[in-house]
Amino acid sequence: MDEPSSTLNPRNRRNLIGLLNEFDGLKIITSHDLDFIWDTCQRTILINNGRIVADGNPQDILRNKKMLEENGLELPLSLIRR
C-alpha cells in the first residue's frame, strides 16, 4: 500500500488501522504518516535516497529523533504530545 492513510478522515483512518491489525498476512506499506506506521507495523524499514538507514522494531526507529531528522522526518505526533 502506498500512503494508505493520506486522504482519510480520522474515523476512516482508525477503521483502516483496525482492519490492517486484524490481517495476519504480510503487509508492505509506504508512508510518511509515522503514527500510522507505529499503530500498524511490526517491522519498519527506513529508506533514504534508495539506501536502507534502519530496519527493525518501529518503536525503536520512530523514537530516534536524531536519525529521523537526519533523514528528513520528525518524531511521530503522538510522541511529541507525550
Side-chain angles (χ1 to χ4, degrees), residues 11-25:
R11 179 187 310 162
N12 286 326
R13 184 179 176 280
R14 283 190 303 277
N15 289 340
L16 179 59
I17 289 169
L19 287 171
L20 290 174
N21 287 339
E22 291 175 5
F23 182 71
D24 288 331

Side-chain angles (χ1 to χ4, degrees), residues 32-43:
H32 292 89
D33 182 347
L34 301 185
D35 289 287
F36 183 84
I37 297 301
W38 181 285
D39 291 337
T40 59
C41 296
Q42 297 175 349
R43 177 181 175 200

Side-chain angles (χ1 to χ4, degrees), residues 22-55:
E22 291 175 5
F23 182 71
D24 288 331
L26 175 68
K27 300 172 285 218
I28 298 176
I29 301 169
T30 61
S31 183
H32 292 89
D33 182 347
L34 301 185
D35 289 287
F36 183 84
I37 297 301
W38 181 285
D39 291 337
T40 59
C41 296
Q42 297 175 349
R43 177 181 175 200
T44 296
I45 301 173
L46 175 60
I47 299 173
N48 189 2
N49 292 321
R51 186 177 65 87
I52 295 176
V53 176
D55 180 352

Side-chain angles (χ1 to χ4, degrees), residues 44-69:
T44 296
I45 301 173
L46 175 60
I47 299 173
N48 189 2
N49 292 321
R51 186 177 65 87
I52 295 176
V53 176
D55 180 352
N57 182 301
Q59 288 73 26
D60 295 337
I61 292 170
L62 298 177
R63 281 188 178 115
N64 189 332
K65 181 178 180 179
K66 183 178 185 285
M67 179 180 59
L68 291 174
E69 288 177 349

